[in-house]
């Protein structure tokens, strides 16, 4: 005769999963903050050209703060992975997009650009410059697409959806303007400022979303009813 199911045993694995997701959210917020601080320190303390240059110039080989910059970028990549892991079950596409963004972020940190981080069409770029620049663009695109996906994903929860909607609404025009400015005016203050705004917005979205996921204690049954 089969042993009767004990009350509560069916919910125990789910409860452990919810705890693991909240831990992942807390870790993601910590990684995002630590990574952002490290990158800011490298950019501000480094000998770069200030707002007229790219953030990536802080990681150029030979820079005194290149290691700090790379550590910060890798921490941000880990934060993206952890945000994806902290998302509730039923969220589609966003975890894969965040994982893709994490991979390209890590590549952009591992493959350094040459001095000035030159990019076409106004500057002659090396193969490393193209790989670094392409990885950075792909990482940003993946994160923005993850925002868009989460903005319309019911299982993500109301707080995560609201944060994604605001971030996506701000990121899309900024990214389009950066791309247009790089093609029309090239490297300079306009692109430098816009790039920093896009990156700052991505970090703020990552920290706030990770915090919302870490604080989400809704029971699974309530999550399903709210998200119908």
């Amino acid at each position: 005769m089969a042993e009767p199911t004990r009350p509560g045993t069916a919910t125990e694995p789910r409860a452990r999963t919810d705890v693991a997701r909240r831990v992942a959210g807390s870790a993601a917020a910590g990684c995002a903050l630590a990574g952002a601080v490290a990158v800011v320190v490298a950019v501000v303390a480094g000998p770069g050209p200030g707002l007229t240059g790219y953030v990536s110039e802080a990681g150029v080989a030979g820079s005194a703060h290149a290691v700090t910059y790379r550590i910060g970028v890798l921490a941000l990549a880990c934060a993206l992975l952890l945000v994806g892991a902290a998302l509730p079950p039923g969220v589609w596409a966003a975890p894969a997009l965040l994982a893709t963004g994490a991979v390209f972020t890590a590549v952009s940190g591992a493959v350094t650009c040459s001095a000035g981080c030159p990019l076409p069409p106004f500057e002659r770029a090396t193969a490393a410059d193209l790989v670094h620049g392409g990885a950075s663009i792909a990482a940003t695109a993946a994160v923005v697409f993850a925002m868009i996906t989460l903005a319309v994903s019911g299982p993500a929860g109301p707080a995560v959806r609201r944060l994604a909607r605001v971030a996506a609404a701000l990121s899309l025009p900024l990214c389009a303007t950066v791309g247009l400015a790089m093609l029309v005016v090239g490297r300079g203050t306009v692109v430098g400022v816009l790039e920093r705004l896009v990156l700052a917005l991505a970090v703020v979205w990552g920290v706030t979303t990770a915090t919302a996921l870490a604080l989400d204690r809704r029971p699974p049954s309530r999550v399903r009813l709210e998200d119908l």
Side-chain angles (χ1 to χ4, degrees):
M1 180 181 295
E3 184 179 352
T5 304
R6 296 179 181 178
T9 54
T11 61
E12 287 178 1
R14 183 174 296 171
R16 288 195 293 269
T17 301
D18 290 342
V19 171
R21 289 195 301 101
R22 290 197 294 270
V23 170
S26 298
C31 284
L33 284 173
V37 169
V39 171
V40 168
V41 167
V43 171
V44 173
L51 294 178
T52 61
Y54 298 113
V55 171
S56 300
E57 293 184 49
V60 172
S63 171
H65 300 86
V67 174
T68 302
Y69 172 82
R70 292 190 191 112
I71 291 173
V73 171
L74 290 177
L76 292 174
C78 289
L80 292 176
L81 282 176
L82 288 167
V83 170
L87 292 171
V91 175
W92 61 276
L97 286 168
L98 290 170
T100 301
V103 171
F104 281 116
T105 299
V107 171
S108 73
V111 180
T112 59
C113 55
S114 57
C117 291
L119 289 174
F122 296 101
E123 300 168 301
R124 179 174 296 178
T126 66
D129 293 328
L130 295 176
V131 170
H132 173 84
S136 299
I137 293 171
T140 303
V143 172
V144 173
F145 280 122
M147 294 175 185
I148 296 171
T149 302
L150 288 173
V152 295
S153 177
V160 172
R161 289 199 302 273
R162 283 194 297 269
L163 291 169
R165 287 167 186 164
V166 173
L170 295 174
S171 296
L172 285 171
L174 279 175
C175 290
T177 306
V178 171
L180 182 62
M182 290 179 68
L183 293 175
V184 174
V185 300
R187 182 175 181 269
T189 303
V190 173
V191 173
V193 172
L194 290 173
E195 181 202 30
R196 283 158 175 77
L197 287 175
V198 171
L199 296 177
L201 180 58
V203 170
V204 171
W205 171 77
V207 172
T208 53
T209 298
T211 302
L213 292 168
L215 297 176
D216 186 6
R217 296 180 178 274
R218 296 172 300 157
S221 58
R222 184 179 174 187
V223 173
R224 288 196 297 269
L225 288 173
E226 287 182 349
D227 296 333
L228 288 176

